[in-house]
Structures are given as structure tokens and as C-alpha cells.
Amino acid sequence: MGMTITEKILSEKTGHKVRVGEYILIEVDIALANDITAPLAIDEFYKTGIKKVYNPEQIVLVPDHFVPNKDILSAMQVKKIRKFAKEQNIEKFFELGRMGIEHVLLPEQGIVKSRDIVVGADSHTCTYGALGAFSTGVGSTDIAGVYMMGKAWFKVPEVIDVYIKGNFRKYVSGKDFILKLISILGVSGANYKVLEFRGPGIENISMDSRFTISNMAIEAGGKAGIFPVDDLTIEYERERGIKVEKLTADEDASYMRRIEFDLNELEPQVAFPFLPSNSKGISETEKEKIKIDQIVIGSCTNGRMEDLRAAAMILKGKKISRNVRCIIIPGSQQVYKNAIREGLFDIFVNAECAVSTPTCGPCLGGHMGVLAEGEVALSTTNRNFVGRMGHVKSKVYLSSPVVAAASAIKGYIANPENL
Amino acid sequence: MEIKGKAFVFGDDVNTDEIIPARYLNTSEPKELAKYCMEDARPGFGKRDDLKSNIIVAGENFGCGSSREHAPIAIKAAGISCVIAKSFARIFLRNSINIGLPIIELEEANKINEEDKLRINFDRGEIVNETTKEKFKFQSYPDFMKSIISEGGWINYAKKLIKEENHEKK
Ligand code: SF4
């Protein structure tokens, strides 16, 4: 019988044909941790008495959540990571000024690539499935294990076949697709399972939209969200000096469930508080005239060039409503630089938006735009749980950058079609 | 490896907040956490004196919610020897194995009743319900997974592997 992409990648690494449900121990290509999770892993590692990490090349450390350090505690966390990186000769430690939000940075810098096995002590590590990598979120103990021996264990997962056809209409993008898919699956509909995307519609989904889609696989409980490696991926990797080959599932691969999706039928989506699965189409949502206090455009979900360009296209020559604040956060230094070069910063600043250095910041209610009691945000991030962006009595709606930008102009959640 | 014990039965979707409520997370001391194990699913559970070597049985999606490692730590420290459920939330499953708490996925978990006496053989992948005389099969762990659990968790196991490798090199 044929194999899914997941089975192919895992079989390649183990050297035998893996079967669903089997537990395997394999060497990982990359082990990622951030300023919240790395300190725990580092403590665990040093407790073992081992002096040197197994392989510094595997290790990536990205302080991004509370960076630039928002307070003394977060400064101490980053200090610990910096010291560890130095002691262990870890080159892939990304200091402020050279950094980005981890899941924007790693693919962009060519640190993760197709067919890699990636673990990260961050649930959105599934982002790199966009490149055709097997990439998943784990706990700090798992990361400490990689520091010790280079390996991590996995249970070979079942796969859900997401068969996509058609093409996005104007103002519709990867974010709308994944919000809709999560509403179909529910927040635990893909627990243990991998979402594999397939079908003729794939070629119409840009790389940046693929990152957005894979990023939110975890919001349906998924272990990973994997795209095939096609011409688009090969080109993306080539630009980074990496040579990869096509990778698709076999025709006769076996899946536990199939979902068919026609992109032509999709309209922009908005996820209502307090679950990412609570989404409604924009035409219905707009009628409710939901007033907002703050807009955030950025994060590991929507902080890439395509996202900033989409927002700029809407904001060009306009000013945002007097009743809202709009914070725009490029996902990495590279995105920041490109956005300046393309003149997007002018557009944003002229529209009276605040533009920040790359950081997770408000996405997890950390800093740089925390919500007060009773405030409502529309954000391009990935989670709208109770209190996610600040006060427990604040609310978060999720959308794509175009909807966010249109809403910034109107002051309520608005359809970009009707600007 | 064989485990014998009686069953404490819980329902579906028991989340990490019920297993160890956030208000007790100001410590990561296992003994302290153990006192509040399953507190919001069954108040007072962690303080019972008959938990040792017994077994928690639950329905679907056990351990959903946050990724806190404190949840399996509290269960293990309370003396529970194994958790059987129809299914586990993914990160809970990982964390349990990593800290050395045996867990078993069993489709027929709902056939087990409160206080049933269970005998679990991990090598054969078999559960015998001595009260109802029923037998269930589960996919037994591969050897390295059994070793992780018997070594008391991933870190200890990894240490052992490294030692063995170094030994071979010599
Ligand atoms: S941007 Fe938000 S979701 Fe992404 S890594 Fe940072 S905190 Fe997590």
C-alpha cells in the first residue's frame, strides 16, 4: 500500500517502512525553543550532569515572546539562553536585531527545509509543514532530551486528507481557508493526527498562505499540517540555496478521513471569541457592526510580506478610524526591511498605525498592546481564548490582514469588498 | 511489567485544569501537586489514602487543554500506577511518557466500572478485568517506550542510552 507524506518522511529517517500507531525514536534535524520554554529545557539538561549538548547544530534558540525584554524576569530568561548558547557554541541563537518571530524566521532563513524532522517547544512549530517538513510542538523535556542525545520519540500518526480544489477569490487567503477548516474539524478534530493538504487547488496557494495554514493546524489539535513539496516549494528553497525534490503522497495512501474543499466557495472568515473554531463569513459578520478598540496585524500566523502587502493595499492613502488603534508587527528583520523598501511603512504610518520591531508581543498578551478590561480586538493571530491578549474580560476576534485593515478604517469588523 | 489495581472512573474531555487546577500551580513540587490531583473533576481525590498503585480510567480526549507537564506529574505523584483512556490529548500523552507515567489507549475503556479490579500486562498488551472477567487487548509499547517508563521518564532513559553508547565506544 502507498504512503502518506508523513509516512514517507518518517520511513526515510527510521530506515524502515513505518506503520500508523508505531512508536519511533529518531534523530531530529532541528530542536527549537523560545524565551519561555528554553529556560526549562536548559535547566533539565544541566540537571543531568552532562556538560556538552549532543549537537549544537541542531539547536535553535529564538527569544521572541517578551523581546525586547519587557521586564526584569524576561530579561533574566533571555540572559540564561544567551549564556547557554555561548557555552554550548550554539550559532543559531537569534538576538534582538537579528531575530524574528521563530516561525517566521526559521523558514525564511533556510534553517528548516522540506523533509526535515523538527521539534519545537512551542505549539506552532507545525508551521514548517508548509515546506513539506514533519514538524511538531513538544514539551520542554523533549527539547532537553534532544540537547542530551539528539533524538526525540514519536508515535506515527494517522492522516486526514484535505483535498483542495479551486482558487481564492479576491480578498480571500490562507487564513480564511484555515479558519473555515478548523470550524469544520472542531478544536480537537485532528488530535494526534496530521492534516495533509492535497489536490489541484494547492498550486494556487502561495508560500506565505501555506505557512499561515500549517501554523494553525494545532488549533484543530493537529500534530502537523503538511503540504506537498511542489514547484513553488522548490523555488522557495532554491532562493535560500537549498535543493529539494518533489514530495507527494502516493495515490493509494491510506487516510483516516477525507475532507473536500473548494476555494472558490470561500469568503473571508472571522473567528468569534473564544475559540478559533467559532468562525463566520464576513458578509454575515459585517451586519453585526462589531466595534473594535484595537487591531493587530502580525504574528507567526500573518506577519509575512504577503500579509503586510495585503494590509497596505487596503490602507494606502487612507486613515484609520479615530476610534481604533492599529499595531502592525513585521514578523522578522527581513520582513521589516522588505516592508520599508517597498514603501509599506510610509503607508502604515500615514494611515496612523503604530509599527513595531518583530516580537510576539500582544499575540499572547505579553506586551506592546495588551488589552484593558472590556476591550475588543481584531487580530491576525491564531488564538482568541479567554484573556489571550490581556484582561480576562477583553475579547479577541481573528481574521486575515485584509479584513483587519478594512476594519481599522471602518472602526468595526468590515468587509473589504464594501470599502 | 505487570500492574494490579482498582479502577477510578472518569468521563470524557477531562482537561488539565481539572487534573491540576491553575490555582495550585505556584509550585512544581510533585508531592504538593499530588494533593490536588483531579481536584476539579472529583474534589478531594488527591487526598484519598487508597490511590497508591491504583488506576485511573477515562473516556475520550483525556488531558486536553494546556500543555502543562504538571498534570501527569500530579497523577504520578499521587501514586496512580497507570491511566487508561479511550484517547488522550496529544501533548498530555507525550508529557506522561516523558515523566514516566504509564498510559494506555483502550477503545473499550467505557466497559470498565468504578472499583473493578484490573490486571495489566504491558508485555502482552493485555488488560484483565478480574471483576467482570473480561479481557481487553491494547497495542503494547515497543521496547524503548517500556524502558522510558520503567526508567522513570525520558531524561533518565536518555541518560542510560548515552551511557550505553559511550560504553560501546570504549
Ligand atoms: S506569535 Fe503568538 S502564536 Fe506565534 S509564537 Fe508568538 S506567541 Fe506563539
Side-chain angles (χ1 to χ4, degrees), chain A residues 19 21 23-25 44 48 50 136-142 144-145 148-149 151 153 155 188 191-192 223, chain B residues 61 69 87-90 93-95 97-98 105 139 141-142 144-145 148 154-155 158-159 161-162 165:
Chain A
R19 62 192 155 72
Y23 289 89
I24 51 174
L25 176 65
E44 282 285 328
T48 63
I50 299 174
T136 192
V138 295
S140 290
T141 305
D142 289 292
M148 293 164 68
M149 61 184 313
K151 295 184 181 127
W153 64 271
K155 186 179 179 190
S188 69
N191 191 18
Y192 296 148
K223 186 170 198 160
Chain B
N61 207 19
E69 281 190 12
S87 65
F88 293 91
R90 191 181 77 80
L93 183 142
R94 280 202 88 79
N95 290 342
I97 302 293
N98 283 343
E105 268 187 271
Q139 189 178 12
Y141 296 139
F144 78 87
M145 296 291 300
I148 295 172
W154 182 233
I155 297 289
K159 261 201 227 164
L161 280 186
I162 292 166
E165 268 178 28

Side-chain angles (χ1 to χ4, degrees), chain A residues 34 36 64-65 101-103 122-124 215 219 298-301 359-364 381-383 388:
Chain A
N34 57 46
I36 294 181
D64 55 359
H65 282 59
I101 299 170
E102 48 198 316
H103 310 307
D122 187 276
S123 57
H124 293 101
N215 175 270
E219 261 46 79
S299 84
C300 62
T301 312
T359 180
C360 293
C363 170
L364 76 162
T381 53
N382 47 43
R383 285 187 177 147
R388 172 74 180 180

Side-chain angles (χ1 to χ4, degrees), chain B residues 14-74:
Chain B
V14 176
N15 68 51
T16 47
D17 278 306
E18 294 173 280
I19 298 172
I20 182 75
R23 58 186 180 277
Y24 305 119
L25 289 181
N26 47 9
T27 173
S28 48
E29 175 53 47
K31 283 212 185 82
E32 269 306 298
L33 295 172
K35 288 188 204 159
Y36 307 105
C37 158
M38 308 303 285
E39 181 68 15
D40 285 2
R42 202 187 284 189
F45 185 79
K47 290 184 179 149
R48 288 172 69 141
D49 55 11
D50 61 345
L51 298 179
K52 206 159 167 27
S53 21
N54 288 324
I55 297 158
I56 286 178
V57 178
E60 306 273 6
N61 207 19
F62 187 83
C64 57
S66 88
S67 67
R68 64 182 71 137
E69 281 190 12
H70 303 73
I73 289 172

Side-chain angles (χ1 to χ4, degrees), chain A residues 164-181 183-184 205 213 261-270 279-283 417:
Chain A
I164 306 170
K165 52 186 187 186
N167 199 351
F168 291 122
R169 299 191 325 226
K170 195 177 177 196
Y171 298 131
V172 185
S173 65
K175 183 63 163 285
D176 306 300
F177 166 76
I178 190 66
L179 287 176
K180 183 75 191 178
L181 184 64
S183 77
I184 295 168
I205 305 178
I213 293 167
F261 210 101
D262 186 351
L263 297 178
N264 292 311
E265 288 168 12
L266 189 65
E267 67 160 339
Q269 300 288 309
V270 176
S279 67
K280 275 192 207 171
I282 190 68
S283 28
E417 290 282 357

Side-chain angles (χ1 to χ4, degrees), chain A residues 7 12 25 29 38 46 51 73 79-80 89 107 154 182 200 325 361 364 371 386 403:
Chain A
E7 287 163 357
E12 210 170 271
L25 176 65
D29 294 290
Y46 279 129
K51 297 276 176 321
L73 277 177
K79 186 178 171 192
K80 178 181 272 187
N89 297 316
F154 301 96
I182 295 163
R325 327 178 279 271
L364 76 162
L371 300 176
V386 174
V403 172

Side-chain angles (χ1 to χ4, degrees), chain A residues 237-256:
Chain A
E237 301 280 45
R238 202 189 49 77
E239 286 166 10
R240 287 157 182 79
I242 302 166
K243 202 173 169 305
V244 293
E245 277 160 28
K246 283 198 178 173
L247 174 64
T248 52
D250 291 328
E251 277 305 316
D252 57 344
S254 106
Y255 301 95
M256 54 86 56

